[in-house]
Amino acid sequence: FAVASNLTVDGLTAAVTLVIAILSAEMFNQATWQRVWAAESVPAMRKGFLWGSFLVFLLMMFFGIMGMISYANDPSAFDNFEKFYYLAFFELLVPLANFWHVVVLIVVTALAASSVDSLQTAIAAVFSSDFVRISNRKGRSAQDWKVRLITRIVLILINIPAVIMSSKRYDVISLFLVADLVCATAVLPVYLGLMTKDWGFIAAPTELGAFLGIIGGIGTVLVIGALYNFTEAVNPITGETIATGPFSYFWLTNSYQCALCGVETMVTFIVTPLMAGFFCLFFSKLDVMIRGDRARQPIFKIGENDVAGQYILDSEGSSDADSQAIKDDSAGPDA
């Protein structure tokens, strides 16, 4: 147990990678944002997130300690990949009666189903709101049953490739890591859009600047892969080739120990969002210098009265009355 619980450099790099990866992905988790918008009030939202985070922390501590105990019972089997680290907790259940196996299976299924249910509901909410805006833009009043029907059809179509990928039995940790890295290329360009005023020489991001910042983030991952001479992603345990070419680096098969381990993976997750944010601000500044006020106009317009599609940059010349007038216009006659 002393070996299993010992502080190591590999564990430290994995921790840094995990924090950045999960943070990047959760900022795009619409299930989380559904809870934000459904909250009774801001204090209620903060209290809910605080207690929820605390309970999740206790749960993860429990699984972490159980994993260390499992490794301590049979370290050679884990080191030789006869047993897998990420299934360490379940190894403790093997000697127990089948009753406990069934109980754990029910609990694990419920946990997975609740997460999937939240994600499916969030995706449906995003699409349905977009369909309503598109319908209103065309001068037609959206009917609820049509919106629900179209949303459900789209949701079913989205699930088809997910089911196909699950049938291929990809390592779920690796899949999460790919998604986290993709989110890392976009998290700063998207959320720097919360800037409402220029900070000296730094211009508040424009829509085009944010888009090019995301492209810059993707390019950063490709450049890092090229610097590491990475040409194909190979499962370090099974030896199976997952992908080839420059984009194969997104699989981050840098370590044989775990998907999150390795200095290369940690550096990738540190550099990628920073470079994406830099490119976002850089191209936004160029956009404003070249296009002037037109750079502040939205390129993609979903609806005529879409609040997200209209914004004014805070400046010395804009008053609270001007900002309120724009909000009232964006809200429409039912405000």
Side-chain angles (χ1 to χ4, degrees), residues 201 203 206 282-293 295:
F201 180 77
T206 65
F282 174 75
F283 286 118
S284 294
K285 183 66 176 182
L286 288 181
D287 192 19
V288 172
M289 293 174 60
I290 295 173
R291 295 199 297 151
D293 292 338

Side-chain angles (χ1 to χ4, degrees), residues 318-328:
S318 62
S319 64
D320 293 338
D322 294 333
S323 300
Q324 185 61 45
I326 289 179
K327 292 180 181 177
D328 293 341

Side-chain angles (χ1 to χ4, degrees), residues 118-307:
S118 297
L119 292 172
Q120 301 277 359
T121 303
I123 294 173
V126 171
F127 277 111
S128 61
S129 61
D130 286 342
F131 290 144
V132 170
R133 292 192 185 103
I134 293 173
S135 180
N136 291 338
R137 184 183 180 187
K138 293 181 178 180
R140 298 192 299 267
S141 179
Q143 296 180 343
D144 290 342
W145 71 270
K146 289 184 178 179
V147 172
R148 286 197 299 267
L149 177 61
I150 296 174
T151 300
R152 289 169 180 170
I153 293 174
V154 172
L155 198 57
I156 291 173
L157 295 176
I158 290 176
N159 277 276
I160 291 176
V163 172
I164 294 175
M165 290 195 69
S166 65
S167 67
K168 295 181 181 296
R169 301 183 66 180
Y170 284 107
D171 180 7
V172 67
I173 303 298
S174 298
L175 287 175
F176 275 130
L177 204 59
V178 173
D180 294 346
L181 185 56
V182 172
C183 291
T185 66
V187 62
L188 284 184
V190 169
Y191 283 93
L192 281 173
L194 294 174
M195 291 175 57
T196 59
K197 62 178 65 176
D198 295 343
W199 290 355
F201 180 77
I202 300 176
T206 65
E207 195 167 305
L208 180 60
F211 176 77
L212 294 177
I214 296 173
I215 299 300
I218 296 174
T220 299
V221 176
L222 299 180
V223 170
I224 293 175
L227 292 176
Y228 289 147
N229 295 320
F230 199 96
T231 57
E232 63 178 5
V234 179
N235 188 315
I237 299 176
T238 64
E240 175 189 3
T241 299
I242 304 173
T244 59
F247 283 93
S248 63
Y249 186 68
F250 274 89
W251 286 93
L252 294 174
T253 53
N254 290 321
S255 173
Y256 71 91
Q257 287 182 302
C258 71
L260 292 168
C261 297
V263 175
E264 295 87 352
T265 300
M266 182 187 69
V267 170
T268 301
F269 270 101
I270 293 175
V271 173
T272 297
L274 291 178
M275 292 304 297
F278 168 78
F279 284 123
C280 169
L281 297 176
F282 174 75
F283 286 118
S284 294
K285 183 66 176 182
L286 288 181
D287 192 19
V288 172
M289 293 174 60
I290 295 173
R291 295 199 297 151
D293 292 338
R294 289 190 299 115
R296 300 298 180 190
Q297 301 302 317
I299 299 174
F300 303 100
K301 300 180 180 179
I302 298 176
E304 293 179 357
N305 293 324
D306 180 14
V307 176

